[in-house]
Every structure is written in C-alpha cells, then in structure tokens.
Amino acid sequence: MTKISHEKVEVVIAGSGIAGSTMAAELGEAGFSVVVLEAGPERKLSEMISSQIWSRRLRWAGPEVQETGDLVGAANFAMGWGTGGAGLHWYANWYRLHPDDFHVRSKYGRSLDWPISYDDLRPWYDHAQAYFGVSGDYDPNAPTGAPYPMPAIPISDQSAAIKKGFDAEGLTLSLNTLAVNSISYDGRAGCLLDGWCDAGCPIGALANPLVLQWPRAQKAGVELRHNAYVARFETDPSGSRATGVVYIDENGNENVQPADIVISACHTIWNARLLLLSSTDKHPDGLGNRSGTLGQYFTSHALTTIHGLFERETEPHTGVTGANTLCLEDYDNKLPAKDAFGSRAWLVGQAAKPNDLLGTALAKPELFGDALDDYLRKASSHYGNMTVLCEEDSIAENRIVLDHSKNDRFGLPQAHVTNSLPQANVVRSEMAKSEGLRIFKAAGTSEAWAGPRNPMHMIGGTIMGNDPSSSVTNSFGQLHEVKNVFIAGASLFPTPGAINPTATLAALVFRTADHIRTNRSSLLP
C-alpha cells in the first residue's frame, strides 16, 4: 500500500453530511483552511430522481453494521453515502427538543442530563431555522423561539381526514415544521408537494447540502475529497494533541492529512467507531475514552406506524415524505402511566407511493396476488398513515463497540450496535400504538392497523457532559482529553427526546463553530 502525505491544513472534517457540510461552510467563511473527507462518491442534483428504488443509491453503501437487541435495523436506512450524506434523503422534519428533554436525570431520576439547557441552545435554534429555511406556524405545544421564516405548507387531504380523529380525542393537530420551502426562499424554489422527498430534491425546495451548505463552502475555498474512507485519527507522542487523519483513497492508498483541528462529523455509529479505531498506547480503549463511556448510551426513537383506509379520497401520494401535520400535545408528560416513561410525538400524513420504502404495499406485506391488487386499488386513493416517535432512556448497556471478528474491506473491525428498549419505554410505546388506533377509528376508517415497532434515528455514543469521568466531550463537542478534536452530530446527545434530531444537531454545529472561531488562537498551535 502506497502512503501519501498531504499539505497541512487548519481543519480536517470527516463526513460531508448536514453536520460536516455546515461546519465546513461556517469555518471556511471564517477564514480557516478546511478539507472535508467523504467516504462515498460525488453526488449531483441530477441524481435526485423521483423513484424510491433509485433513491436507494443515496443510502449507506459502506461496511455492514452488526446489530443486537430488540430495537435494531436503522443503520442502512438512516445513513448516507456520498456528497451530503444522509442530508440528501432526509425528511426535513424540524423540531426543537423541549426544556425537560435536557434535564431528564434531574427531574425524573432516569436517563441522563445535558450539560446545557434549552435557553443555552435557543439562539442557535433560531439561527439554524433561518439558515436552513423552515416553514411552519405557531404551535402552542412547541418550545418558544423566533417565528418561522416561511408559512406552513397547507393541510393535505390525508391530514384533513385524520384530523377528525385527533379532534375526537381532544388533541391539537398542527401544521408541520419542515426545512422545506413553502414559498421561494433564499433563491430556492417552493415545494411542488409531489411526495418524493425520500428520493432527494433536485429543485432545492428541501434544504440539502448540495444546494445550501456546499455552494457556500466551496465559495469559501473548502476542499471536498470523495472516496476518502477515514480509518483513524492520529495523535502526537504525548497523546494530548491530534495531528491529523489517516484515510484510504479509491485506489487503496493510505493518505495522511495533517491538521491543527480534527472534526468527526459522521453519522452516529461512525463517530464512535472512528474514536474506537484511533486507540494508541496513550489511549488504549479509544481516543477520548478515559471515562469508559465512549460508545455507551446509544439511543434511538421507538417508532410505530398507524395505517388506515378512509371513505373519502386522501391523495396519499402527494405532499411531503416527512409529515404534513404534527401533534405535540401532551409531549411534556413523560409519566403518562405508572409503569410507562417518555415523551411521544405524532407525525401525521406522510406522502406514500405504492411501492418500496414507506409504500402503501409495504403497509400490508402479508398480501399478494389478487388480494394485494384489490388493496392497492383502494389504498392508492383512500390510504392514510401516521408515525409515533417515543422516547428511549439512555442506558450504558445500549452501546457501540468494535467487532474484531468481522472486518471491512480495509481490514478494520466493523461496528457492532446493541440496542434494546427499556421496559418503561416499551409500555409507553404500546400506549401510543393504542392511542393511534383509537384516533384512526374515531376518524372513521373502514380499516386501521399498526405496523411493528422499529428504531428511527441513531443518537448517542459520544455523549457530551461537564464531568470528564462520565462523558466523552464537553458541551461544544470537544474531547475532554484531546482539546483539538471535536465531534459534530447526534452522537453528542445524552438523551434523544421524542422528536427528530436534525434541528438540534444543526444548532449544536453553529454553537461549536462559533466556539472554534472565538477560540482560534488557543486551538491553533
């Protein structure tokens, strides 16, 4: 294997997804010399083709992730591969964690606390929603913040049919908050509501790195290298400072990229894996793992889908993939019953095509032949669906480790994830499923059913905290042990709440980028 050394830069970033591209644009515009390393190929807007089968190219094509537990299977679905990472196929649901989500240990004696509060992150939430472009209306059940820069996308026929059930249950259904343009915004077109978000958005109505962060980053001089598979981070002989990144290029050559600041902005599992792969005699259990918590406190969201057939036509193929409407009422009630724990959120009226991922056919996988044909003829015009996300406790037993019995194509140990849902969260999930079926029955469905419980989103593994003995990084994602290494992404979250993580991820990136700018002189040698 040939070893190639590159000229030193001030910042090297592993990962070109939403976290990595946003960090690159922010630091590039602040005058830092920045190189971004992306394991996958170059992606272009012309590859965003409205086909769910075609969209699979955008998903994970790296080494297999080994998984154990009763809440597994999200890795390949959720991760990205190529320019923009998972930011090319994300659903753009845009929610803030609620104030209590930051203090679960203090308030309820469960899970963990964050080292920051909602008020610490609120100005960065405000900044992020203006930067990305968010459409939405005031929701009395959402945390306080600046008004959304765009009006909400109007209610769909599907949501209107389902709303009758929420009304009957005394629950408020609000228009969803999305990083999707309801009107032209920041030079990008408004959404066509054609329901193909899952396959990417070539017109840029959905905020993705190809149309938002990368034009800014490239204008600022940021260099992006594709097919650059990061293998480890290197440190000096003392182990107190990172010196750069080692990556494998498309020809199988080992490359060394020296840098003053190293940032891991990969997906959750890969952030933890890279730190574990970067072990040395000074860091025998992985870089930044003196506390022993590296890889621990992995969480997800327990997801259950509710499906039904309505008498009225719902046009389920139109709208947005994420959701058209949202119910956060009762979200802050983390103790809904004696043996249950956790928040829950309803995402309602997701666009559904007939086939493949999230398709109406997949909603009834037991059907085939004439029965499937009859069902699809009705479902294509009368189907409705919604998803409930339920909170998962952060526990040390759910974790990411290296599997030394299974290697990737470069001979590096694969990641192994263990994730089982604590019993109090199982009870909460079952309560939510029953609630969802009641809502659909009250909405007048001729038939309603629930899908199996699955994981959605991957969170934790490199958690932040004030105490170096019980966390991997401080609140800025800076390793406690190696001050010029930063982590960006949902792997920092000590707890997941019960809502999609991207708004919080973005707010943290902007906060960390500001910290790096402000402390430039002390971070650079």
Side-chain angles (χ1 to χ4, degrees), residues 88-427:
L88 297 194
H89 62 73
W90 74 303
Y91 298 164
N93 290 308
W94 189 270
Y95 316 124
R96 303 177 183 216
L97 286 173
H98 290 221
D100 279 7
D101 290 330
F102 293 86
H103 307 290
V104 179
R105 186 73 181 176
S106 297
K107 289 182 175 290
Y108 302 99
R110 306 177 67 93
S111 208
L112 299 170
D113 282 344
W114 289 57
I116 55 176
S117 68
Y118 176 77
D119 288 340
D120 293 319
L121 210 52
R122 175 176 168 173
W124 300 108
Y125 275 129
D126 289 346
H127 176 74
Q129 73 182 29
Y131 182 102
F132 277 75
V134 175
S135 59
D137 283 342
Y138 171 74
D139 184 340
N141 296 301
T144 55
Y148 299 113
M150 285 177 282
I153 290 172
I155 192 166
S156 65
D157 288 346
Q158 184 186 169
S159 281
I162 298 170
K163 185 177 184 298
K164 180 180 176 182
F166 278 89
D167 291 343
E169 290 289 313
L171 296 171
T172 300
L173 193 63
S174 302
L175 293 171
N176 198 17
T177 48
L178 295 151
V180 174
N181 293 353
S182 59
I183 57 176
S184 296
Y185 182 81
D186 196 27
R188 295 183 285 117
C191 181
L192 300 176
L193 301 177
D194 61 359
W196 284 113
C197 313
D198 185 61
C201 183
I203 67 171
L206 186 154
N208 75 65
L210 291 183
V211 297
L212 183 59
Q213 294 95 333
W214 279 116
R216 297 178 65 152
Q218 289 168 337
K219 185 177 179 180
V222 174
E223 180 185 354
L224 173 58
R225 296 180 196 157
H226 294 95
N227 303 300
Y229 187 92
V230 177
R232 66 184 182 276
F233 305 139
E234 293 200 321
T235 53
D236 63 16
S238 71
S240 61
R241 187 172 184 85
T243 57
V245 169
V246 174
Y247 69 92
I248 312 300
D249 65 24
E250 58 188 325
N251 298 314
N253 297 318
E254 185 175 89
N255 290 249
V256 179
Q257 178 56 66
D260 295 322
I261 298 171
V262 172
I263 301 175
S264 186
C266 304
H267 215 286
T268 288
I269 293 172
W270 246 245
N271 276 344
R273 180 181 185 244
L274 281 177
L275 293 181
L276 290 167
L277 287 172
S278 302
S279 61
T280 65
D281 58 342
K282 301 295 183 182
H283 302 278
D285 299 316
L287 191 63
N289 195 23
R290 189 172 299 162
S291 66
T293 59
L294 176 59
Q296 294 184 351
Y297 301 104
F298 177 87
T299 55
S300 61
H301 290 124
L303 171 151
T304 302
T305 52
I306 305 295
H307 313 265
L309 297 178
F310 294 79
E311 290 305 316
R312 62 180 288 181
E313 291 194 359
T314 57
E315 295 192 350
H317 61 287
T318 62
V320 292
T321 307
N324 174 249
T325 46
L326 168 74
C327 178
L328 292 175
E329 188 159 332
D330 211 34
Y331 178 99
D332 292 326
N333 180 14
K334 291 185 182 289
L335 295 167
K338 179 182 177 182
D339 299 320
F341 182 81
S343 296
R344 68 95 179 90
W346 284 106
L347 282 61
V348 180
Q350 295 153 311
K353 304 300 182 180
N355 65 310
D356 202 56
L357 298 175
L358 303 182
T360 52
L362 192 63
K364 275 189 170 290
E366 73 278 9
L367 297 182
F368 61 93
D370 290 341
L372 177 60
D373 184 72
D374 291 342
Y375 161 71
L376 281 175
R377 288 180 184 277
K378 179 71 178 291
S380 62
S381 299
H382 297 269
Y383 172 79
N385 76 108
M386 62 184 185
T387 296
V388 68
L389 298 182
C390 291
E391 184 171 354
E392 178 179 343
D393 283 4
S394 297
I395 59 174
E397 293 79 7
N398 286 337
R399 62 184 305 177
I400 304 159
V401 299
L402 297 180
D403 187 341
H404 292 278
S405 69
K406 297 182 183 297
N407 293 337
D408 63 19
R409 66 182 182 275
F410 298 117
L412 301 172
Q414 293 182 7
H416 189 124
V417 179
T418 299
N419 188 30
S420 289
L421 194 63
Q423 182 58 29
N425 304 146
V426 171
V427 176

